[in-house]
Each structure stands twice: as structure tokens, then as C-alpha cells.
Amino acid sequence: MTGPATDDRTAPSRLPDERAVAGSRFWALPQARHWLVVGALLCAAVIALGLTVQLVPGDTSAELGVDQSLSRHHGAVLTAVAMGINMVFGPLVGLMLIGIVALYLWLVRRDLVKAVAFGLVACTGWVASEAFKLLIARQRPDPKLLFDPLAPETGSNSFPSGHVSFAVALAFALYFLARGSRWSKVAAVAGAAMALIVAWSRLYVGVHYPTDVAASFLAASAAVVLLGGLWNRFAPGIVERLPAASFLPSHRP
């Protein structure tokens, strides 16, 4: 004798939720308590610094002296390091690096949400720097005034540095990935060192003033703070609306 038929519509599912299998539970970003105020204050600090260096007589000439001094003391090894940083932290290679890490998080770690969050955090530095560049419109150091211009650039896009802003945002993104693990302190120290080295390289190459690289730390931090608050506020609802299959690198048969 056979038992009563089971209604597939009422029987509990034996299949695990694909979204849980994919590890795509919502990944919250660290958030400042008053993130909107903190972000606004950081943005205001960048603008104030930018207007100051534009309006204070003699400031640009004094800062140019730093670039000129570094330009007179170039060495083969340091030049190779600086020019390598110039390429790696530029938009083309930088986007490739972000894409590689994001694809690893999605395809290997099966976490699309974390992959998107990482990509957004890492890219905020560039977005912030471009916005402030348009607003401040500071001219780059004149390469003709440098003893050894390594990568001559001109234009009104000196403030802040896109390379340094990207390095700072990337440091935040990598630390967010490592937080809570035994690698968190290593990621924090390495990220800070990376950002400082990139800042030095932009002065060494002679394409930015000291205040340009200093403002980059503020600009990128402002962008990360604001993104953290916006992500935690709006991303959960977006994630809930997405079908579970969209979190997997490929559909199952």
C-alpha cells in the first residue's frame, strides 16, 4: 500500500537556498556614526584647502620648490619605482586590478554582493578626485620648471591627485575585506604604507603639489564614508529584490 501523495506546493523544499549557497548574504560596510555629517565635513575640508592654495599668494611657488628639489635628486631605482606606480595606479591598470579582485570574489568566493561593494569602494577615490578637480581646477606644476620632468603633464586637474585618491580608496577596500580576520592589522598597515608611497611618487614624478596629495586622503576618505552610509541604507533592499540565480556565476541546469 502506498502512502498519501505529497503536494509539491506544500512540502518543505529539500534544496538549499541558492543565494545562501553562493555566500551572498548582505555584506555591510563599516559606517561612521554620523556618516553624512562626517562626509560633508571632509568634503568641506577639501574645498577649503583647494580654495586656499588657489587664493593665497606665493603658496604654489613655495610648493613647487618641493617638486623642484625632488626633481634634482632622481635616482635610477627610485625613478623606476615611481614610474611603475604611475602606471599601476593609473586608471587603466587600476580598473584591471579592481576587476580581477571583484571577479575572484564573485566567481571563486561566490559572493556577488561583496564583489560589488569592493568595486564601488575602490572606485570612489577616482570619482571623488574627478569631482574636486572640476571644482578647484588647479593647474599642474609646469614641467618646464623642473630639472628632470619624468612624466610631463599639464592642465587644470592637479587638485587632488587621482592616483593617490585611488590608492587610499583601494586601501580602505582591502581592509574592509580583511576586517575581522587575522589579516586585518596587516591590511591596515600595508594599505596606509601603500597610500603614502603613492603620494611620494606623485611629488617625485613632479605632476602634483604637496597639498594635492594631502587633499587626496581627505577626498577619498569622504567618498568612502558617504558610500558606506548609502550602501548600508539602500543596498539591502536592492539585494532582496534580486533573484537568487543572479548571485551565481552560472545558472545550474
Side-chain angles (χ1 to χ4, degrees), residues 107-151:
L107 301 179
V108 178
R109 299 295 297 272
R110 297 293 186 92
D111 198 327
L112 177 60
V113 176
K114 185 176 289 188
V116 172
F118 171 83
L120 288 175
V121 172
C123 287
T124 54
W126 276 321
V127 175
S129 69
E130 290 302 316
F132 288 117
K133 284 176 187 290
L134 292 174
L135 184 62
I136 303 300
R138 187 186 195 185
Q139 293 293 325
R140 287 184 180 270
D142 188 347
K144 294 191 296 295
L145 300 178
L146 299 177
F147 180 77
D148 182 24
L150 296 175

Side-chain angles (χ1 to χ4, degrees), residues 76-88 150 163 197 200-202 204-205:
V77 175
L78 293 180
T79 297
V81 171
M83 295 308 294
I85 291 173
N86 182 62
M87 179 185 67
V88 171
L150 296 175
H163 283 65
I197 292 172
W200 159 82
S201 74
R202 305 312 286 160
Y204 184 90
V205 172

